[in-house]
């Protein structure tokens, strides 16, 4: 989300506050995900964790997945509403259509990641599942920012 932190200041004050709050929630989500699994940024498995730590990490993974889907869905809906509030943007506007299609694609990719993450849980360590979830969603969101959000926000400059 930091990729367009400067450009986002060009939105209206209300839109800016909404998007900033949502980006902060997503950043907190990513931090929480990273901090929950002590082996996320290593190649270690869960054998170094206490039974309680492993149980906590393992139990929280489904909650992270649920929260991710909720955060992404709400954020994309708000972002599209903000785009449509611009005077030159309509449902038929090519850039808006592509942006909306990208949101649908991300939500589809998240479903695939969730399915794969769930299937990994029985085959690899919980840490590997966290690693898989974290690296894939980070890549998806960063790519979306570069491809769509930055250009749209920059286009709001009057």
């Amino acid at each position: 989300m930091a990729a367009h932190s400067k450009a986002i200041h060009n939105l209206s004050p209300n839109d800016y506050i909404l998007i900033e709050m949502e980006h902060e929630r997503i950043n907190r989500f990513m931090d929480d995900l990273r901090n929950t699994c002590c082996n996320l940024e290593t190649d270690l498995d869960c054998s170094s964790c206490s039974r309680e730590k492993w149980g906590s990490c393992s139990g929280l993974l489904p909650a992270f997945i649920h929260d991710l889907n909720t955060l992404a869905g709400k954020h994309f809906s708000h972002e599209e509403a903000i785009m449509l509030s611009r005077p030159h943007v309509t449902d038929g506007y090519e850039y808006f259509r592509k942006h909306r299609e990208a949101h649908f694609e991300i939500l589809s990719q998240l479903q695939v990641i969730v399915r794969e993450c769930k299937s990994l849980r029985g085959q690899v360590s919980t840490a590997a599942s966290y690693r898989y979830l974290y690296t894939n969603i980070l890549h998806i969101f960063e790519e979306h920012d570069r491809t769509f959000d930055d250009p749209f926000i920059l286009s709001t400059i009057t």
Side-chain angles (χ1 to χ4, degrees), residues 2-148:
H4 62 274
S5 60
K6 291 179 185 168
I8 200 168
H9 291 286
N10 296 310
L11 296 172
S12 74
N14 289 339
D15 292 343
Y16 169 79
I17 290 168
L18 176 64
I19 295 300
E20 273 299 294
M21 286 174 41
E22 289 179 346
H23 284 178
E24 181 56 35
R25 280 188 207 115
I26 292 170
N27 287 334
R28 267 194 322 267
F29 170 86
M30 296 300 288
D31 288 344
D32 289 347
L33 187 60
R34 187 175 50 251
N35 293 329
T36 297
C37 179
C38 56
N39 295 318
L40 182 75
E41 295 175 341
T42 69
D43 287 331
L44 298 175
D45 61 16
C46 300
S47 62
S48 62
C49 297
S50 69
R51 186 179 178 122
E52 292 79 14
K53 176 65 176 162
W54 176 83
S56 175
C57 282
S58 183
L60 285 172
L61 192 56
F64 277 117
I65 290 169
H66 176 269
D67 290 349
L68 171 63
N69 286 320
T70 301
L71 284 170
K74 285 182 179 179
H75 177 62
F76 293 158
S77 176
H78 292 150
E79 194 173 88
E80 290 171 14
I82 290 168
M83 290 176 74
L84 287 172
S85 73
R86 304 299 298 171
H88 65 285
V89 178
T90 65
D91 279 329
Y93 183 58
E94 182 180 0
Y95 183 79
F96 175 79
R97 273 188 312 97
K98 287 181 179 180
H99 200 144
R100 180 180 268 173
E101 289 169 10
H103 288 165
F104 284 125
E105 179 61 28
I106 289 171
L107 293 174
S108 296
Q109 288 174 345
L110 290 178
Q111 289 176 356
V112 170
I113 292 168
V114 165
R115 277 194 304 274
E116 291 177 8
C117 209
K118 286 178 181 177
S119 71
L120 282 174
R121 287 184 77 193
Q123 300 170 16
V124 298
S125 70
T126 300
S129 294
Y130 271 89
R131 219 173 279 122
Y132 181 82
L133 179 65
Y134 181 83
T135 56
N136 282 287
I137 61 176
L138 183 64
H139 172 74
I140 288 170
F141 285 139
E142 285 178 345
E143 182 62 28
H144 181 73
D145 283 353
R146 275 190 302 280
T147 306
F148 288 98

